[in-house]
Amino acid sequence: MANGTLERILYLEDEPDIQTIAQLALETIGQFTVEACSSGAEAIEKAENFAPDLMLLDVMLPDMDGPTTLSELRKLSRTAETPAVFMTAKVQSQEVEAFKAMGALDVIAKPFNPATLADQLKDIWNNRDQQ
Amino acid sequence: MTGTNFEETFKQLKMEFTDKLDDRRGEIRDGWAALKDAKGQSAQQEAAQTVQLPIHYLVGAGATFGYDALSEIARPLDVWLRDIIRAKEQVTDENLPAMTAQLDTLLHAMEDAAANPQS
């Protein structure tokens, strides 16, 4: 198991209802501190001050998409090496590999189950040295 | 925040999702009509982008709110529209009937879901 505890998650999702239920699940079930953002620009603006342990990014967003947001976050000193996980409805294996090649630790498929989302992230976090 | 708050909020969001299904149906139907009328690759890409948004949303959100069928039925439409947007595919007389049939299945499933909300 890797060192460090997962506590702070920067979460990017533009759909309000999905954002609300995922944030609630991560905070109540996972006991994480979550900073939710609705756009890539907002995530970039909040990232340095929030200092996340992990970034959870939706892929398809209307302006700046998840992969572009990640590449911008990588330019910030505080998030240059912060583990990132994408959430996407695109779950074909070649696409998952492409997301990992962009620097994502893993990919969570949408639709997701809110009751198990926090455990999924904990598993990814705990196994991150093996990936 | 307590588990009860989670359950109450989840229930509320599910109700809101269900309440908005009729509006989203109209949005998808109008977007599809525009796609069928679009002439040329660029116009098709633009129309596909518009109608893909609510369909992609259903893929990602349907099962999260208990409507697994909506996610499953919407997924092939989402993939096809994405291919049009990326110019890997075009709307043709050969592929349109099958995709329109899939769309009709989705619209009926949305109508059923709105009429029979998940508890």
Side-chain angles (χ1 to χ4, degrees):
Chain A
M1 186 185 290
N3 292 325
T5 307
L6 176 56
E7 292 176 357
R8 301 170 70 77
I9 297 172
L10 182 77
Y11 173 44
L12 171 58
E13 167 63 59
D14 65 313
E15 293 291 351
D17 51 358
I18 295 292
Q19 186 193 89
T20 301
I21 197 60
Q23 180 175 8
L24 199 58
L26 293 171
E27 288 175 344
T28 57
I29 299 170
Q31 298 291 302
F32 300 122
T33 301
V34 178
E35 181 69 64
C37 308
S38 301
S39 69
E42 187 184 354
I44 292 160
E45 187 190 324
K46 289 180 171 175
E48 293 234 70
N49 279 343
F50 181 65
D53 300 315
L54 182 139
M55 303 182 292
L56 179 60
L57 310 172
D58 185 31
V59 169
M60 190 173 155
L61 299 157
D63 296 319
M64 187 188 301
D65 66 14
T68 306
T69 303
L70 178 59
S71 91
E72 291 301 313
L73 287 164
R74 290 290 183 237
K75 295 175 186 170
L76 304 176
S77 59
R78 185 59 190 81
T79 50
E81 295 181 2
T82 305
V85 173
F86 281 127
M87 286 185 92
T88 180
K90 302 173 185 178
V91 285
Q92 290 170 1
S93 60
Q94 67 205 42
E95 289 169 322
V96 170
E97 289 312 311
F99 291 134
K100 287 184 176 178
M102 288 172 199
L105 198 57
D106 212 335
V107 177
I108 291 179
K110 289 170 89 175
F112 61 91
N113 180 349
T116 58
L117 180 62
D119 282 343
Q120 268 183 286
L121 275 186
K122 283 177 187 170
D123 287 345
I124 291 169
W125 178 262
N126 290 334
N127 293 322
R128 68 191 188 281
D129 282 348
Q130 295 161 25
Q131 301 190 20
Chain B
M1 199 173 283
T2 65
T4 306
N5 279 347
F6 172 77
E7 283 156 21
E8 282 171 5
T9 305
F10 191 29
K11 196 173 172 184
Q12 180 64 34
L13 287 168
K14 263 175 144 176
M15 279 171 52
E16 287 172 16
F17 175 86
T18 310
D19 288 347
K20 287 178 188 163
L21 279 173
D22 277 339
D23 287 345
R24 290 191 194 278
R25 252 178 83 231
E27 202 182 333
I28 291 170
R29 206 173 30 219
D30 292 350
W32 196 264
L35 178 66
K36 283 165 85 171
D37 289 344
K39 304 282 182 248
Q41 191 172 39
S42 164
Q44 286 182 2
Q45 284 174 298
E46 198 176 319
Q49 207 149 18
T50 302
V51 74
Q52 194 212 9
L53 289 174
I55 288 176
H56 184 79
Y57 168 77
L58 283 177
V59 175
T64 293
F65 291 113
Y67 298 99
D68 296 32
L70 295 185
S71 292
E72 286 164 23
I73 298 167
R75 190 179 294 279
L77 291 164
D78 183 36
V79 171
W80 185 66
L81 290 165
R82 192 171 13 132
D83 285 346
I84 291 171
I85 293 164
R86 292 178 179 172
K88 289 182 181 173
E89 180 71 91
Q90 283 194 57
V91 181
T92 66
D93 291 343
E94 283 72 41
N95 59 30
L96 189 59
M99 285 297 125
T100 301
Q102 184 73 14
L103 182 91
D104 288 342
T105 304
L106 176 64
L107 295 175
H108 285 306
M110 292 173 76
E111 195 174 9
D112 283 349
N116 303 290
Q118 295 280 325
S119 56

